[in-house]
Amino acid sequence: SSGINAEYGQTLYSSNKIVDDAVIAGHLAAASMSAVEFPVNADWVNSPPLSIHGNLKGRYILLDFFTYCCINCMHILPALHQLEQDVPEGLVVIGVHSGKFSNEKNNNNILNAVSRYKITHPVINDQDYEMWNSYSIICWPTLVLINPSGNVVLISIGESD
């Protein structure tokens, strides 16, 4: 994967060798912004509703933008699980399920997939792409790291090594 150096030392990664300048600009803007709060009307799996600027304030948060029909998204699940084991108190992993097709937006289907893939971290159903659009996400999987101050500090695009 190729790295793109961003302001403040962040690195954006893409599984593609060529990344469009507009995409880079969008991610650089997102990487220098305050984290966007979760939609209040969204449904959750494995957790009651969470708040980036509320009950998660002061913690590192890793948002995993995925959809359960994306094989690359499934490939990174073991690494996310290992990360949760390695940093149990310092990091909260949250799946942001942004389904492409209408059946992927169904809460029961998401619940079944979370169970099938043994996902234990909280998952929010971003069925209207509110989070997706707020962070200028362009593909699955994409990881967004938020620091304890509530600022986006890293965006990783695609399945990385």
Side-chain angles (χ1 to χ4, degrees):
S1 67
S2 62
I4 303 159
N5 291 326
E7 194 171 338
Y8 305 114
Q10 300 107 1
T11 302
L12 307 181
Y13 293 96
S14 174
S15 56
N16 300 323
K17 296 288 184 209
I18 301 172
V19 180
D20 184 86
D21 287 343
V23 171
I24 294 169
H27 283 287
L28 287 174
S32 63
M33 70 181 211
S34 180
V36 177
E37 190 57 76
F38 297 116
V40 295
N41 59 344
D43 294 309
W44 289 80
V45 176
N46 292 340
S47 175
L50 298 171
S51 170
I52 289 173
H53 301 291
N55 56 0
L56 296 175
K57 187 175 182 172
R59 312 250 336 246
Y60 278 96
I61 304 165
L62 184 63
L63 302 177
D64 170 28
F65 284 85
F66 79 107
T67 183
Y68 66 79
C69 286
C70 165
I71 191 63
N72 300 88
C73 298
M74 300 306 103
H75 287 167
I76 70 167
L77 286 175
L80 290 176
H81 180 73
Q82 187 62 50
L83 196 56
E84 291 175 286
Q85 300 302 307
D86 291 348
V87 191
E89 299 302 316
L91 178 72
V92 178
V93 176
I94 298 175
V96 181
H97 188 274
S98 305
K100 182 176 181 178
F101 303 107
S102 59
N103 65 307
E104 293 176 299
K105 298 176 183 194
N106 178 285
N107 286 324
N108 287 330
N109 292 344
I110 295 169
L111 181 61
N112 289 335
V114 164
S115 176
R116 180 173 57 251
Y117 294 112
K118 297 178 175 65
I119 298 170
T120 58
H121 55 258
V123 174
I124 184 170
N125 183 358
D126 187 31
Q127 65 182 4
D128 296 324
Y129 287 91
E130 289 180 59
M131 300 286 293
W132 178 278
N133 292 329
S134 294
Y135 287 98
S136 301
I137 306 301
I138 59 166
C139 69
W140 300 274
T142 294
L143 300 174
V144 175
L145 182 64
I146 300 166
N147 71 11
S149 299
N151 296 311
V152 175
V153 294
L154 176 83
I155 297 174
S156 176
I157 304 167
E159 186 180 351
S160 60
D161 301 339

